[in-house]
Amino acid sequence: MNRLGNETSPYLLQHAHNPVDWYPWSDEAFAKARAGDKPVFLSIGYSACHWCHVMERESFEDPAVAAILNEHYVSIKVDREERPDVDSIYMQAVQMMTGHGGWPMSMFLTPDGRPFYAGTYFPPEPRHGMPSFSQVILQLAEAYRSRRSDIESAGNEVRAALGAVPEPQRGSIDHAALDRAASRIVQGYDRVNGGFGGAPKFPPSMTLDFLMQAAWRRGGEGAAAPLRDVVIHTLTKMARGGMYDQVGGGFHRYSTDAEWLVPHFEKMLYDNALLARLYTRAWQWTRDPFFARIANEILGFVSREMTSPEGAFYSTLDADSEGEEGKFYVWSRTEVLSILGDDDATIFCDLFDVTDRGNWEGKNILHVAGDVEPHRDLVLRAKCKLYGVRAQRVWPARDEKVLSGWNGWMLAAFADASIAFGSYGDIVRKNADFLLTRIDANGRLIRHAKIKGLLEDYAGVAWGLTLAYEAVNNRRYLDAARTLADQILARFADEANGGFFDTPADHEQLITRPKDLFDNATPGGNSVAAAVMLRLGEKYNDVAMATVESILPLAERYPSGFGFLLGDAEWLAGSPKEIHLTGSDAGSFRNVVGETYLPHRAISYAEGEKASAYVCENFVCLAPTDDPERFRDQLARRSP
């Protein structure tokens, strides 16, 4: 066992028995590199990454490859989900140096952490124009010995580029700018399959949420129709495709094709958090029961397969089982016939494109190919039977890391669904109570195990706790969210340029202090922090506005990368509703809120003898009412 045997990350533990003399990210590793004047080989991945497993089997388990690494390098293995700060810096470097990025990430550093060569997956033998991994590490070791000045120059150049600070800008938050952003996004719309661009396709959760808000703002059917069609068509196509687990619920990470048929089979907590909340909000907007069903199926999957006894949410399910990607999820027609019986199976196979030939590598990925609604009872019955059989298979590995930020996002999804559907209250309370245990007496937050919280964690947990307060009326959750927001202001603020750094001021020294502004696969810390502060109001509003203004010029140019932030801008440009509920039995009023699409609203509670509600907007409050239907009418009123 190498040094990774003492770690808590399942991904690092997977490599604990490699012959490579791995170090975790640590001062010890870099001190050894400096003492031995050796370059550092930095490998970054995550436990559900298919090609990370492939490279491990092909190279890191090979004693000959390990011997080269152990002789010439200090090798460091990083779980990108544990250390997104490290991953962010070196992902930016690999993209600058190669024009692309991804995992496994393979970086070659000087002993002080400067990158001088970068790549992703390297094969064990030369192929497709790629050198073998052994060739790469031998040639770079020789270059480090014989061409040190070139290595130092390359490292200095990359570090300077990583540390470059753009000129501060401020954007104007108005509906015209937001409409321009929406129009730019829609230019890439796939009118046939939904989504944007071609293969591969990732679920554009935050972009769709922004477009939904913009469509709602436009009001009338005519003005809203273009954006409404984009959102509804994409949501429907994704949920009917093979990227959605038709048997067990929940989305896989992305589709390898343009039709949403063949997924990359890992399941990520963050995708399902964002998508569950999106489908909940889509149901509120359209009242389409299909969207409600998908939201509840996602949340059912998470509560059943991704939740610990303490109420914490696990991180990922692997793409592979028994060494094969997707094996757990696919079916032969013969299997389906034997499980369901001839009559049900024939209908089910037609509805879900199950054939003798298969639609992927001789097997069948279930996707909706027919009209399910007339056969709803049959389909539900069939899915239960298939799930029972599938549960007897060898399950994909589960990464049981509990990451605070990701838990905050999923808590937000359950909290919104709790208000919308009148359920999940116990899950909300249990997870929120668990997250409170990760905040110490000084307001400091733990990300996972011994790893201290990053902006992603402070903002994510604060967001989840704020929505949990709205869902179940526990004041402790709101107070904790304010504590975390104060920590963000005190320790993460970028005083010179606005917004927030990814790491606190007292974080370990990296080669640059990362500040990731984009909403990529996960929402940016700045975007979520701004959303939290908008909900908290009062002294936090100005900070939220300044944060959004500092990023908006970039978001206008590249709107597809800023879906969450553009939603923040919609809030700031609009007229949020402040909803105040009084009385111990305010559930009927909360149900009215849950049945109404209000993309920009905050709920607060107060003591009172009688259940009542009142709505404030644009610094004006309507008269309180104890009639839920009158309250519904008040919520439906649109500002001029």
Side-chain angles (χ1 to χ4, degrees), residues 261-308:
L261 173 60
V262 180
H264 204 7
F265 283 92
E266 65 260 48
K267 285 182 173 180
M268 318 299 290
L269 184 70
Y270 60 75
D271 281 328
N272 286 287
L274 297 170
L275 286 161
R277 185 169 185 265
L278 176 64
Y279 278 93
T280 298
R281 285 157 69 86
W283 171 75
Q284 291 170 323
W285 183 42
T286 65
R287 305 297 290 178
D288 186 337
F290 175 67
F291 293 150
R293 180 167 64 81
I294 297 300
N296 283 293
E297 286 181 0
I298 296 169
L299 296 171
F301 150 69
V302 172
S303 62
R304 188 177 60 246
E305 299 179 21
M306 299 287 283
T307 304
S308 78

Side-chain angles (χ1 to χ4, degrees), residues 343-361:
D343 292 341
D344 282 4
T346 300
I347 297 172
F348 185 87
C349 288
D350 288 344
L351 292 174
F352 288 90
D353 187 29
V354 180
T355 65
D356 291 325
R357 184 181 64 255
N359 55 30
W360 180 69
E361 297 184 359

Side-chain angles (χ1 to χ4, degrees), residues 569-589:
E570 282 282 352
W571 179 302
L572 284 162
S575 302
K577 284 183 163 59
E578 300 172 36
I579 300 166
H580 304 275
L581 306 181
T582 63
S584 58
D585 185 20
S588 59
F589 293 101

Side-chain angles (χ1 to χ4, degrees), residues 42 51 67 92 109 113 153 179-180 229 285 338 350 360 406 430 432 474 502 525 532 541 567 599 609 621 631:
L42 172 64
W51 286 101
Q92 185 181 352
L109 317 177
S153 177
D179 284 338
R180 288 194 299 272
D229 291 346
W285 183 42
S338 67
D350 288 344
W360 180 69
W406 295 18
K430 202 167 183 181
N474 186 327
D502 296 344
V532 169
N541 262 339
E609 295 181 4
C621 296
F631 177 55

Side-chain angles (χ1 to χ4, degrees), residues 325-504:
E325 185 178 10
K327 183 174 182 179
F328 182 74
Y329 297 100
V330 297
W331 304 87
S332 70
R333 184 179 174 89
T334 302
E335 283 180 296
V336 175
L337 290 172
S338 67
I339 295 165
L340 302 185
D342 289 344
D343 292 341
D344 282 4
T346 300
I347 297 172
F348 185 87
C349 288
D350 288 344
L351 292 174
F352 288 90
D353 187 29
V354 180
T355 65
D356 291 325
R357 184 181 64 255
N359 55 30
W360 180 69
E361 297 184 359
K363 295 284 189 176
N364 293 280
I365 299 171
L366 300 185
H367 68 109
V368 180
D371 185 2
V372 170
E373 287 310 314
H375 308 283
R376 171 56 49 200
D377 290 342
L378 182 152
V379 168
L380 291 174
R381 191 166 62 244
K383 287 184 177 183
C384 286
K385 291 179 180 179
L386 292 173
Y387 186 87
V389 171
R390 195 176 79 176
Q392 303 306 311
R393 295 174 177 175
V394 176
W395 281 70
R398 183 170 65 189
D399 185 333
E400 297 189 352
K401 284 196 314 295
V402 175
L403 301 171
S404 292
W406 295 18
N407 269 248
W409 305 333
M410 184 54 78
L411 176 59
F414 272 108
D416 266 4
S418 177
I419 296 173
F421 305 123
S423 54
Y424 305 117
D426 288 345
I427 294 175
V428 170
R429 293 183 187 90
K430 202 167 183 181
N431 184 257
D433 289 345
F434 168 80
L435 288 173
L436 292 183
T437 68
R438 289 198 159 184
I439 306 171
D440 70 17
N442 298 314
R444 302 294 178 97
L445 178 67
I446 293 296
R447 176 172 178 78
H448 163 67
K450 61 187 178 183
I451 297 171
K452 296 176 181 178
L454 304 169
L455 177 63
E456 174 179 285
D457 303 296
Y458 281 84
V461 173
W463 186 45
L465 289 174
T466 304
L467 291 175
Y469 162 71
E470 296 189 2
V472 300
N473 186 17
N474 186 327
R475 179 72 192 200
R476 289 194 307 146
Y477 303 155
L478 183 62
D479 292 342
R482 290 183 184 278
T483 296
L484 295 175
D486 290 339
Q487 286 284 323
I488 292 172
L489 296 179
R491 299 172 58 226
F492 291 85
D494 181 351
E495 302 291 353
N497 302 293
F500 305 99
F501 291 106
D502 296 344
T503 56

